[in-house]
Amino acid sequence: MDLKQLRNPVWERSDNLRDPSIYKTEEGYHLFYSRYSNKDWSKPENWAIGYTFTKDFVHYEQDRDISAKGFASPGDLIIWNGKYILPYQSYPETPTMLCYSVSEDLKNWTEPVFFLEEARNLPWNQAERVIDPTFVVSGNRLHCFFVGTDRMHYERATNLVGHAYTDDPELKKWVITTVDSPLIGASKAAPDGAENVTVYRKQDEWVMIYSEGLFEQHLAYAVSTDLIQWEFKGKIDIEVQNWMTVRYGAPYVWKETECFMMILMGEDKSNHTTFGLLSSVDGIHWKMLKEK
């Protein structure tokens, strides 16, 4: 991947592209995303999990839907018990719930398997919805960060981040560590909460970057040594380019040999969403690619 030759946004289509997730292999980059079409947010037939493959973020191939209609927000693809697991959610019909599909070859995917349904009934999840799954494998334990919504205490809906983990190979028995209160709630910087978590390893600690705020969305980060207790560091300042002037969010971070890379969703003045790339030497401070 030649960063000097790339320009943001690195991928754009007639459809709106949202919620990117990258899985890197020796052959190249598997890009999973939410495909949103036809400008009617409320219809399930306008949503699906999309997939494409690229070797260089210039040429893309095999672009297609890998889910039925009515699904969105792919999270981190992981290997669990020798198989590929991709988490995502049903959307937009209620109740929105977490699910995953299984693959042995990154091409053929099972029908969605729903999981962690008990998170709908958490006391702080007043809307009884669960969205935006993020999987993190640490040893023999699988962690899942997710988002619920509180509609009770604020004028607008507030998205809140929760956490659970499992040691169950079948992903059926989960321990929710955020039963009484969310991991990330409302704050002065973001009275309408947070969503879209990405978590990655940086030397001896974990780093979480997430979309802070819904209406005035931006990026913020936190660090942890155990994926349960987090120290919140605040906003990440990045250059705003034309493809992301309205808002940006839904980050996904992965490690290259010499740097960290982030793929980010941006919304422009015509309310069209595309993907751009940023790089970082230390995994904390981020530099945009040049713009087209």
Side-chain angles (χ1 to χ4, degrees):
M1 183 168 51
D2 187 352
L3 297 183
K4 293 181 180 179
Q5 300 301 318
L6 293 177
R7 296 291 183 269
N8 280 336
V10 292
W11 200 42
E12 49 191 324
R13 306 282 282 175
S14 58
D15 292 320
N16 282 275
L17 311 176
R18 305 180 63 86
D19 312 315
S21 175
I22 294 287
Y23 187 75
K24 182 184 176 183
T25 63
E26 291 183 359
E27 294 75 24
Y29 303 89
H30 300 263
L31 169 56
F32 302 89
Y33 65 95
S34 300
R35 187 194 308 277
Y36 166 48
S37 310
N38 301 324
K39 297 183 179 181
D40 189 335
W41 197 280
S42 65
K43 292 185 177 180
E45 59 263 34
N46 292 340
W47 293 91
I49 304 299
Y51 165 85
T52 190
F53 177 81
T54 181
K55 294 180 180 179
D56 53 13
F57 289 94
V58 176
H59 305 97
Y60 295 84
E61 56 189 76
Q62 306 173 40
D63 183 30
R64 67 187 191 277
D65 291 348
I66 60 169
S67 77
K69 299 297 183 181
F71 294 92
S73 296
D76 305 59
L77 188 149
I78 62 165
I79 297 177
W80 188 254
N81 285 335
K83 295 182 179 180
Y84 298 106
I85 307 287
L86 179 71
Y88 53 103
Q89 69 184 58
S90 60
Y91 195 80
E93 285 190 341
T94 56
T96 51
M97 297 186 293
L98 303 184
C99 57
Y100 63 84
S101 287
V102 181
S103 176
E104 296 184 358
D105 57 9
L106 290 175
K107 297 178 181 178
N108 301 292
W109 295 89
T110 66
E111 294 296 314
V113 178
F114 292 92
F115 74 99
L116 201 57
E117 295 181 44
E118 58 269 37
R120 286 180 53 208
N121 300 316
L122 294 173
W124 49 268
N125 190 8
Q126 298 291 339
E128 297 184 1
R129 68 197 295 259
V130 195
I131 62 173
D132 292 350
T134 299
F135 276 174
V136 184
V137 176
S138 180
N140 294 321
R141 177 163 290 177
L142 175 60
H143 295 256
C144 179
F145 298 88
F146 59 90
V147 172
T149 301
D150 183 356
R151 297 190 186 277
M152 295 292 289
H153 306 298
Y154 302 95
E155 292 182 1
R156 63 168 64 101
T158 305
N159 278 356
L160 311 170
V161 177
H163 169 265
Y165 67 82
T166 184
D167 302 323
D168 179 7
E170 301 299 322
L171 305 183
K172 293 180 179 179
K173 299 178 182 179
W174 292 83
V175 175
I176 299 177
T177 63
T178 54
V179 172
D180 297 325
S181 61
L183 175 65
I184 306 176
S187 65
K188 290 182 179 180
D192 45 4
E195 59 184 9
N196 300 123
V197 170
T198 184
V199 177
Y200 53 97
R201 190 72 177 174
K202 177 181 177 290
Q203 297 177 342
D204 59 349
E205 67 180 5
W206 297 94
V207 179
M208 174 195 293
I209 296 181
Y210 55 96
S211 302
E212 187 174 57
L214 306 181
F215 185 70
E216 297 181 0
Q217 195 164 83
H218 54 271
L219 300 183
Y221 80 106
V223 295
S224 173
T225 57
D226 62 4
L227 292 168
I228 296 176
Q229 302 295 324
W230 291 86
E231 180 182 353
F232 293 93
K233 297 291 191 176
K235 183 180 179 180
I236 296 176
D237 291 317
I238 62 174
E239 174 192 354
V240 176
Q241 297 179 330
N242 288 327
W243 60 278
M244 52 185 287
T245 50
V246 172
R247 66 176 57 84
Y248 57 89
Y252 184 86
V253 174
W254 74 96
K255 184 70 169 65
E256 294 285 342
T257 302
E258 298 181 352
C259 66
F260 291 89
M261 293 298 302
M262 180 193 297
I263 188 168
L264 190 66
M265 176 189 76
E267 182 177 342
D268 64 18
K269 291 181 180 179
S270 64
N271 301 118
H272 191 63
T273 51
T274 57
F275 296 152
L277 290 178
L278 302 83
S279 64
S280 173
V281 175
D282 62 4
I284 301 296
H285 302 89
W286 294 90
K287 181 180 179 181
M288 280 283 183
L289 300 188
K290 291 183 178 179
E291 191 170 17
K292 291 179 182 178

